[in-house]
Amino acid sequence: MYKVSNFLKSGVHFGHSISKLNPKMKPYILRTDKGIHIIDLYKTIKKLCLSCNYLKKIATSGKVVLFVGTKRQAKNIIAYYAQKINMPYINERWLGGLLTNFSTIQKSISKMNVIEKNKSLGLYNLISKKERLLISRVHSKLKKNLGTVSQLQVLPDCIIIVDTNKEKPAVNEALKLGIPIVGIADTNSNPDKINFPIPGNDDNSKSINLILYYISNFIKLGIDFYFKNNQKK
């Protein structure tokens, strides 16, 4: 199922330059080539397999997985795979306190939903143009920050992160609350902070796409199993 050739074609094995190495990633490095660390793809596949099996297992229980990736190379890919399996995602920016101050964030989500409901009912046609403009600005801001997690009714049971260095606030909040993290760990990452690190290139869209392809497929298998068994009850 996991073909090394596919990982090679997608550039999953390319790490960062030698100068950017996090020493804790040494066990996953095969060699160096022209000043670049080359990741051992057999270890990548092994870790990816462990991650996928874990995600499939929690999905069979109907649990929620949050996708996080705000860097340019990951944004569209994160949105595509999260939407495909109907899971929440963050691809604009991490909103501070999203997890650790979840109750307050939920109030903002409720506010956004109320504005959208009132708008659909035509209630804002009864107020002045200036008031409509102010409400529209508030809604736009809320939508940008919260739109992709509007369906997040409870804290996620797991977080999938692309580039754990860039998404440090998300990592720190998840660690504080004990929420498991599945993350692509490039050679400049600290795998010790990730429950399920996947050694791989987190700067290349093809690499990110391939890894999330496998991850989302396994989550989908778990979701299908969950709904199939709950329909019988």
Side-chain angles (χ1 to χ4, degrees), residues 63-220:
K63 294 184 177 180
V64 177
V65 177
L66 175 64
F67 285 69
V68 180
T70 62
K71 67 196 302 181
R72 177 181 53 80
Q73 303 93 319
K75 290 174 70 168
N76 292 337
I77 300 169
I78 282 283
Y80 174 76
Y81 284 111
Q83 289 174 349
K84 193 174 181 181
I85 56 176
N86 197 31
M87 286 291 180
Y89 65 96
I90 298 288
N91 71 340
E92 285 297 333
R93 73 177 185 87
W94 182 263
L95 194 65
L98 177 63
L99 303 179
T100 53
N101 198 16
F102 189 66
S103 60
T104 300
I105 298 298
Q106 280 296 96
K107 290 178 183 177
S108 295
I109 291 175
S110 297
K111 184 177 181 180
M112 180 183 70
N113 291 336
V114 167
I115 292 174
E116 291 178 350
K117 183 180 179 180
N118 289 342
K119 186 177 179 180
S120 67
L121 293 173
L123 297 180
Y124 293 136
N125 295 330
L126 306 174
I127 61 178
S128 69
K129 185 177 179 180
K130 184 179 180 180
E131 287 175 314
R132 287 201 303 271
L133 181 61
L134 289 173
I135 291 171
S136 178
R137 286 175 179 171
V138 170
H139 178 260
S140 295
K141 186 176 181 180
L142 289 170
K143 188 75 174 176
K144 183 177 181 180
N145 293 331
L146 302 169
T148 58
V149 289
S150 58
Q151 75 267 46
L152 190 63
Q153 302 301 317
V154 294
L155 281 170
D157 299 284
C158 177
I159 301 180
I160 296 168
I161 297 179
V162 175
D163 195 336
T164 54
N165 282 345
K166 180 175 176 54
E167 310 300 345
K168 279 184 180 179
V171 172
N172 291 337
E173 287 193 39
L175 287 172
K176 188 173 182 179
L177 296 177
I179 298 173
I181 301 169
V182 173
I184 302 177
D186 212 324
T187 55
N188 64 337
S189 304
N190 180 1
D192 290 353
K193 289 189 174 183
I194 312 169
N195 303 83
F196 295 89
I198 303 169
N201 184 347
D202 64 12
D203 289 317
N204 183 283
S205 58
K206 289 183 178 179
S207 171
I208 296 167
N209 185 78
L210 183 66
I211 292 171
L212 291 185
Y213 165 79
Y214 285 109
I215 282 174
S216 62
N217 279 352
F218 271 81
I219 294 174
K220 179 67 165 54

